[in-house]
Amino acid sequence: MGETESKPVQPAASTYDPREKLCFTRGALFSDVMTGIERHGKDEFEKPWRNFNWNQKSELKKHLEEFSLSNPDVQHIKILVAGPIGTGKSSFINSVNNVFQGRITADAPVNSSSGDGRSFTTTLKGHYISRGKIPLVFVDIMGLEPDTMAGSQPEDIIKAVFGHVKDGYKFDESKPLSHKDQHYTDDPSLSDQAFCLVYAIPANTVNMTDDKLIDKLKIIRHRISEKRIPQVIVMTKVDEACPLVKEDLKKMYYSKKIKEKMQVCHDKLGVPMCNIFPVKNYHDEIDTDDDVDVLILKALDQIVRLADDRLFNSSDTV
């Protein structure tokens, strides 16, 4: 038998199709998009958990600019702003002024660096809004600290709410203000008293707030609640607490994380959820923003209404 002639093996036809790469790329992109949706889906509710009109800036601003207090003997109602150091108390006051001035202001000095971790505000000082055109004055005080002999004393904050502390008082961390001090007012008028206490609480660290600090806040809350002084929480640094909100401020009331942080504020201090307002203070911006403004205005509107309600019922003064 003759040998069978061997035939050269032909290389297999290439099965590579350039379209496969395109399909793979599209698939990867689709997968990434779906992962993003899933990730956001875990962070946000399908519907907002608090109804909020993002187009009410002009209406709120006009209402506050035309607001008149219920007692004609009081030209400006006092609002005291308290909270731990570094929470954005002074920044909130400046942010309120920014809304009405339409530009970035700095009436309340803010510590722009990490510093030594101590309060930058050391003296009791009132800050008039929109150069006194709005009938309220924010009183900025020294920040609270966990240690007993550090930061502002709860007793000083209570006395400031009740109108016993004069503007310009320099806080003494070692002891509260004495009735013998020249900055003490024995018989405060309605204009001396604060009719709402605002707590500035940072959303990004509220879960880690020291129990000793919470105890100080509870002492203040209990004492002023006896006189029915309304209390509001302005929850700051929301953009640092929730990436969803940092990306889009209008996701605020879709955010699960923001709602959880507000619940923590409620649980720790007992302030009703309806009196807790998440806001973003102006920090590194050089221009104002409508979305930032409307959140601040809504919080301010509630603060003013509550304060004026208490002023109206001030026959049993604090």
Side-chain angles (χ1 to χ4, degrees):
M1 295 179 58
E3 294 182 0
T4 305
E5 183 178 352
S6 61
K7 295 181 180 180
V9 178
Q10 296 295 326
S14 172
T15 58
Y16 171 74
D17 187 339
R19 289 174 296 179
E20 288 186 356
K21 182 178 181 181
L22 179 62
C23 290
F24 176 82
T25 304
R26 284 177 176 171
L29 288 172
F30 181 73
S31 176
D32 288 344
V33 170
M34 289 305 294
T35 302
I37 291 173
E38 183 180 341
R39 182 174 62 249
H40 277 189
K42 291 179 180 178
D43 293 340
E44 63 181 297
F45 292 101
E46 185 178 346
K47 296 180 180 180
W49 47 268
R50 175 181 280 181
N51 291 327
F52 190 81
N53 179 6
W54 290 91
N55 298 314
Q56 60 183 322
K57 175 182 171 179
S58 297
E59 178 186 342
L60 288 170
K61 188 177 178 182
K62 181 180 179 183
H63 171 260
L64 288 162
E65 287 174 335
E66 296 176 353
F67 190 85
S68 58
L69 299 175
S70 58
N71 191 320
D73 295 330
V74 178
Q75 290 187 331
H76 293 84
I77 195 167
K78 278 190 176 181
I79 311 294
L80 198 70
V81 186
I85 60 169
T87 59
K89 294 185 286 82
S90 301
S91 292
F92 176 68
I93 294 171
N94 286 334
S95 294
V96 170
N97 252 323
N98 294 347
V99 175
F100 292 101
Q101 295 287 342
R103 60 182 178 84
I104 303 302
T105 64
D107 182 52
V110 177
N111 192 358
S112 58
S113 64
S114 57
D116 60 359
R118 307 306 299 274
S119 177
F120 194 63
T121 302
T122 58
T123 304
L124 187 81
K125 179 173 175 54
H127 299 277
Y128 290 87
I129 303 304
S130 190
R131 300 180 178 178
K133 296 176 183 178
I134 311 299
L136 71 149
V137 55
F138 277 110
V139 180
D140 195 10
I141 61 174
M142 188 179 196
L144 285 158
E145 296 186 46
D147 295 340
T148 304
M149 307 303 284
S152 59
Q153 297 295 316
E155 198 62 35
D156 277 346
I157 296 176
I158 295 165
K159 288 173 182 174
V161 171
F162 294 164
H164 294 295
V165 186
K166 294 179 181 178
D167 213 41
Y169 168 65
K170 186 175 178 60
F171 291 94
D172 187 341
E173 296 179 284
S174 65
K175 60 182 179 180
L177 177 68
S178 165
H179 69 279
K180 296 180 180 179
D181 193 284
Q182 62 176 346
H183 286 96
Y184 187 90
T185 300
D186 286 305
D187 187 21
S189 66
L190 288 177
S191 296
D192 294 325
Q193 302 164 28
F195 286 93
C196 184
L197 176 60
V198 174
Y199 302 100
I201 304 292
N204 60 329
T205 58
V206 63
N207 297 76
M208 300 176 286
T209 306
D210 194 296
D211 288 341
K212 294 178 182 177
L213 188 54
I214 294 297
D215 288 341
K216 283 187 175 184
L217 291 169
K218 284 182 176 178
I219 291 171
I220 298 165
R221 174 165 168 71
H222 177 71
R223 288 282 299 280
I224 68 172
S225 292
E226 292 176 347
K227 298 293 186 180
R228 304 197 311 279
I229 303 298
Q231 293 149 69
V232 170
I233 290 177
V234 169
M235 197 173 74
T236 62
K237 303 188 179 183
V238 291
D239 52 325
E240 296 180 33
C242 178
L244 188 69
V245 171
K246 185 173 185 178
E247 183 180 333
D248 183 0
L249 204 57
K250 286 184 177 179
K251 289 288 187 179
M252 183 76 76
Y253 292 118
Y254 285 88
S255 169
K256 293 181 179 180
K257 188 163 289 187
I258 294 301
K259 187 176 183 182
E260 289 169 3
K261 299 292 186 181
M262 287 175 59
Q263 186 65 49
V264 172
C265 287
H266 166 71
D267 293 342
K268 286 180 177 289
L269 288 178
V271 173
M273 288 287 280
C274 61
N275 282 353
I276 302 177
F277 293 88
V279 301
K280 181 189 181 304
N281 287 336
Y282 284 103
H283 177 59
D284 55 1
E285 295 84 358
I286 58 174
D287 293 304
T288 57
D289 178 88
D290 286 346
D291 293 340
V292 174
D293 288 353
V294 72
L295 287 169
I296 292 169
L297 283 168
K298 190 61 181 177
L300 184 63
D301 186 62
Q302 179 71 345
I303 290 167
V304 171
R305 289 176 187 271
L306 290 172
D308 191 57
D309 287 345
R310 183 63 185 89
L311 175 64
F312 179 77
N313 296 307
S314 59
S315 54
D316 52 341
T317 60
V318 298

